[in-house]
Amino acid sequence: MAGAGLRTAARRWLLCGGHGEPRAASSSSFCPGCGPPSPGVPCPGSPRPALASASAGGPDPSANLWARYQDMRRLVHDLLPPEVCSLLNPAAIYANNEISLSDVEVYGFDYDYTLAQYADALHPEIFNAARDILIEHYKYPEGIRKYDYNPSFAIRGLHYDIQKSLLMKIDAFHYVQLGTAYRGLQPVPDEEVIDLYGGTQHIPLYQMSGFYGKGPSIKQFMDIFSLPEMALLSCVVDHFLGHGLEFDQAHLYKDVTDAIRDVHVKGLMYQWIERDMEKYILRGDETFAVLSRLVAHRKQLFLITNSPFSFVDKGMRHMVGPDWRQLFDVVIVQADKPSFFTDRRKPFRKLDEKGSLQWDRITRLEKGKIYRQGNLFDFLRLTEWRGPRVLYFGDHLYSDLADLMLRHGWRTGAIIPELEREIRIINTEQYMHSLTWQQALTGLLERMQTYQDAESRQVLAAWVKERQELSLGASSAPSTTPPTSRGALCASPTSTWRPSAAC
């Protein structure tokens, strides 16, 4: 990637001494480690002036450090012309492993947020319905009705400490990312977060989420339906704290989770979508085009979803047409994932044309028929679809994809709508400059940390603070972009979750 090459050039210039003057392209001498000279680029091989010692009567060492800092800033600016941006295509498919699609014979799909992409307008409906359930059925204070859904508050992948009522970002090494912890709608100071976890940012494995995002005390929110759940949870905690009301954290968490679940169990979400599919279902034409193309190339297709048949049938008729079932070799509804992938006990049940259960013993899975529940082990036995010739797409990294890849060798693909917004941010000139400057500033700190006089330490401390702010994404996106877009699951190296002020 061109941006990475430019960042490498800036770093290489620093490590080679880089305080030289720009040189002409016709120069015959150059540093062997840096390559031939280029017009206007500082000579990496030029001698670097030593920092003067204040005790020897020389200039202020901090002034020398800041001069080096300014030189590097100018270099970073000059190395990044506007055309280096927009290098990534937001609509592209990205692979983190080699795969030959000619070897894939079977394609599988989840339904919600995979074949059917829903508009963001669905989230406020879920939030409002669950909020009303809390008030009317769980007898929560009427005051929480004043809260509205804020789409910029949370992103997928955040963790919630149930006993501490903390919503935060935790990295792959189980460290809380400072600056990301919120209790209710208010940020929690870094010092308090560290104190809450015994003087460390690290959270032990036994407290963390398990394989499906559920731990004994900490829950990870992984699916897109979690966005209104996190927002509602934070709003309710904010109301209780703001009014000095005592509450049990575990009970509050369970009540909010149950209220969100009731929205799905009672079929409210299905009713909204079925009532106005044009409003809520996106890119139906693209779904039809993909499925048709796969069938035209003689691929076998299957669908495994937790949604009920009547809902899937109406949605697929809207996107694909009345004969949509002829595209699929196997259709399984109400599969009860993730237990579908791990529990061997539930057998398959056949549904008739009206969606009513049949009592037949299932000995084979027929094309054009609809099946309910079941388990993956019977599915593999009946279809013999095994190993890397199967590619399955879903939106939940754990319950849709991880088991299939690790335990059964299927290829898997994650549908991550947030990546489009992330890539557009990465493609901005401001983001590119910010990331490159962070790399260059890291190199400055590595090079200059040997200077330990009092004035130099103050300069280095200022650089460390600036680098930390860059790491938190303070400058990683345009100011008009919602802060949460800097921290999606596949976010950029400097991004993080920084929610907006309030609902």
Side-chain angles (χ1 to χ4, degrees):
M1 179 178 174
L6 292 171
R7 292 194 296 274
T8 301
R11 186 176 179 86
R12 187 172 58 188
W13 174 84
L14 174 74
L15 295 178
C16 286
H19 205 58
E21 297 299 324
R23 56 186 173 175
S26 59
S27 174
S28 59
S29 60
F30 57 87
C31 172
C34 297
S38 300
V41 177
C43 176
S46 300
R48 177 177 56 84
L51 289 177
S53 171
S55 60
D60 182 355
S62 64
N64 285 280
L65 287 172
W66 283 117
R68 191 69 53 79
Y69 173 96
Q70 293 298 336
D71 286 345
M72 181 57 74
R73 289 218 68 140
R74 284 191 292 270
L75 176 67
V76 168
H77 182 272
D78 293 341
L79 280 174
L80 289 171
E83 58 268 19
V84 304
C85 302
S86 302
L87 296 174
L88 300 178
N89 180 6
I93 298 172
Y94 295 91
N96 58 12
N97 194 4
E98 291 186 1
I99 181 172
S100 173
L101 293 181
S102 62
D103 296 333
V104 177
E105 302 171 5
V106 184
Y107 286 78
F109 301 90
D110 185 20
Y111 179 72
D112 295 305
Y113 284 106
T114 303
L115 288 180
Q117 288 290 320
Y118 299 128
D120 291 340
L122 186 62
H123 296 156
E125 301 278 5
I126 297 173
F127 176 95
N128 293 337
R131 180 197 60 195
D132 294 344
I133 289 173
L134 284 177
I135 296 171
E136 296 164 10
H137 297 282
Y138 291 80
K139 307 306 178 184
Y140 271 61
E142 182 70 27
I144 68 173
R145 207 185 295 274
K146 71 178 183 181
Y147 292 95
D148 294 319
Y149 178 68
N150 181 355
S152 298
F153 182 73
I155 59 168
R156 283 199 287 169
L158 299 180
H159 287 77
Y160 184 74
D161 190 317
I162 298 171
Q163 297 299 331
K164 298 178 176 63
S165 298
L166 284 184
L167 186 66
M168 54 195 164
K169 184 176 181 181
I170 300 177
D171 66 20
F173 302 99
H174 298 181
Y175 281 86
V176 178
Q177 297 296 285
L178 297 181
T180 71
Y182 271 61
R183 182 180 287 113
L185 302 176
Q186 302 303 318
V188 180
D190 294 344
E191 298 79 10
E192 183 178 344
V193 173
I194 293 174
D195 184 63
L196 285 171
Y197 292 101
T200 178
Q201 297 170 242
H202 185 261
I203 298 180
L205 177 63
Y206 70 88
Q207 294 183 24
M208 291 288 292
S209 301
F211 197 60
Y212 295 107
K214 299 177 181 179
S217 62
I218 295 179
K219 161 72 183 293
Q220 187 176 21
F221 294 98
M222 289 299 296
D223 60 54
I224 299 179
F225 289 129
S226 294
L227 297 177
E229 182 176 356
M230 286 185 280
L232 180 60
L233 189 59
S234 298
C235 289
V236 174
V237 170
D238 182 79
H239 178 82
F240 276 74
L241 293 177
H243 290 78
L245 302 175
E246 293 187 8
F247 65 98
D248 185 283
Q249 290 96 331
H251 292 332
L252 186 147
Y253 166 77
K254 186 176 187 304
D255 290 344
V256 171
T257 299
D258 288 348
I260 293 287
R261 181 204 61 196
D262 289 346
V263 173
H264 298 276
V265 171
K266 294 179 179 179
L268 298 178
M269 186 191 75
Y270 303 139
Q271 295 172 19
W272 303 328
I273 296 174
E274 291 175 6
R275 193 161 50 233
D276 195 348
M277 291 189 179
E278 290 290 343
K279 175 182 178 181
Y280 291 112
I281 296 182
L282 307 174
R283 302 175 180 175
D285 292 342
E286 295 178 18
T287 298
F288 174 69
V290 169
L291 296 179
S292 300
R293 184 175 181 182
L294 291 174
V295 171
H297 284 76
R298 299 180 181 179
K299 305 297 183 180
Q300 294 176 289
L301 308 183
F302 67 89
L303 172 65
I304 302 177
T305 175
N306 285 346
S307 294
F309 169 69
S310 61
F311 175 68
V312 174
D313 183 54
K314 291 176 182 177
M316 291 300 291
R317 285 174 179 269
H318 172 77
M319 293 185 291
V320 177
D323 297 327
W324 68 271
R325 280 187 284 169
Q326 297 305 313
L327 298 175
F328 291 90
D329 295 87
V330 178
V331 176
I332 301 169
V333 298
Q334 292 179 277
D336 195 24
K337 295 180 294 183
S339 64
F340 177 89
F341 298 126
T342 57
D343 191 343
R344 298 173 180 261
R345 293 173 296 177
K346 293 181 180 178
F348 283 109
R349 299 285 299 274
K350 187 185 295 185
L351 302 180
D352 64 16
E353 293 296 322
K354 297 181 179 179
S356 300
L357 285 173
Q358 303 296 292
W359 300 100
D360 313 39
R361 183 167 182 255
I362 305 303
T363 57
R364 62 194 181 102
L365 299 175
E366 303 175 68
K367 184 172 183 175
K369 303 297 183 181
I370 305 296
Y371 300 91
R372 176 180 168 181
Q373 292 183 340
N375 63 82
L376 181 65
F377 302 93
D378 285 344
F379 180 85
L380 296 175
R381 177 176 56 82
L382 295 172
T383 63
E384 298 184 352
W385 291 340
R386 301 176 184 276
R389 69 191 187 102
V390 181
L391 175 57
Y392 181 77
F393 291 91
D395 70 291
H396 196 298
L397 300 183
Y398 292 153
S399 61
D400 278 331
L401 307 177
D403 255 340
L404 297 174
M405 177 183 63
L406 296 175
R407 301 186 184 187
H408 302 286
W410 284 10
R411 298 285 196 171
T412 56
I415 306 299
I416 306 178
E418 298 96 329
L419 271 183
E420 290 188 32
R421 185 169 54 182
E422 285 289 308
I423 290 172
R424 289 192 179 96
I425 294 171
I426 291 172
N427 283 340
T428 62
E429 184 177 349
Q430 181 175 346
Y431 175 88
M432 186 68 75
H433 276 281
S434 177
L435 183 59
T436 306
W437 172 239
Q438 183 186 1
Q439 297 275 346
L441 188 57
T442 300
L444 272 174
L445 284 165
E446 292 173 353
R447 181 72 173 174
M448 304 303 171
Q449 63 184 331
T450 55
Y451 299 97
Q452 289 297 311
D453 58 275
E455 293 177 346
S456 296
R457 285 200 300 270
Q458 290 180 359
V459 176
L460 296 175
W463 293 358
V464 169
K465 182 179 179 181
E466 180 180 355
R467 183 177 178 277
Q468 290 174 340
E469 291 173 350
L470 288 169
S471 297
L472 284 173
S475 303
S476 65
S479 59
T480 56
T481 304
T484 53
S485 65
R486 305 170 197 166
L489 293 177
C490 295
S492 52
T494 60
S495 67
T496 189
W497 173 60
R498 303 187 72 196
S500 52
C503 286

